[in-house]
Amino acid sequence: MFLFLVVALAVVVAAVTLAVVGGGETGPLPEAAPERLQDPLPLERPVNRADVEALRFPLAARGYRMGDVDDALSRLGAELAERDARIADLESALAGAKAVTRGAPVSHVSMEKPAERPGEQQ
């Protein structure tokens, strides 16, 4: 029985050694390229809801790649701040326009050319 255990142990050690050292024609495995964000947020236009819903981060050793997540969040934060500023500008312009129209009656403005009077030269 002892001889059987020694032979079995030798076979296991030989198999593990061949597997680790490289018992193949291709050699060692090539280095895997790090996974990157496939479809980042578009740079040529503002981000919309569909872009955010389609955003998928690649997995890393401990979850998601922090750089990809940080880039996406900073981009979204900048666009939200820009939209908030634009909305505030439009609301203040609308409030100013309402204040002006409340105080004075608005006269009708015509874009038509006035009719010529007889005897006037152009």
Side-chain angles (χ1 to χ4, degrees):
M1 182 70 168
F2 179 73
L3 184 61
F4 176 73
L5 288 175
V6 170
V7 171
L9 182 63
V11 169
V12 169
V13 168
V16 169
T17 303
L18 283 175
V20 170
V21 171
E25 298 173 10
T26 61
L29 292 175
E31 241 353 271
E35 207 176 333
R36 300 302 301 164
L37 188 59
Q38 295 297 322
D39 297 318
L41 298 173
L43 298 175
E44 67 276 359
R45 62 175 173 77
V47 175
N48 59 32
R49 181 179 179 157
D51 295 327
V52 175
E53 288 175 353
L55 189 62
R56 298 290 177 262
F57 296 104
L59 293 176
R62 294 187 215 160
Y64 295 106
R65 294 173 104 15
M66 288 177 20
D68 292 340
V69 176
D70 290 343
D71 291 344
L73 289 177
S74 65
R75 170 77 191 278
L76 290 172
E79 289 218 9
L80 287 173
E82 181 180 324
R83 288 179 187 175
D84 288 345
R86 178 75 176 139
I87 288 170
D89 289 344
L90 292 173
E91 285 177 343
S92 66
L94 181 63
K98 284 183 180 179
V100 168
T101 58
R102 276 189 220 132
V106 177
S107 63
H108 179 68
V109 177
S110 174
M111 296 302 288
E112 295 179 15
K113 185 176 179 181
E116 291 184 24
R117 295 183 190 165
E120 286 186 8
Q121 296 279 334
Q122 285 192 17

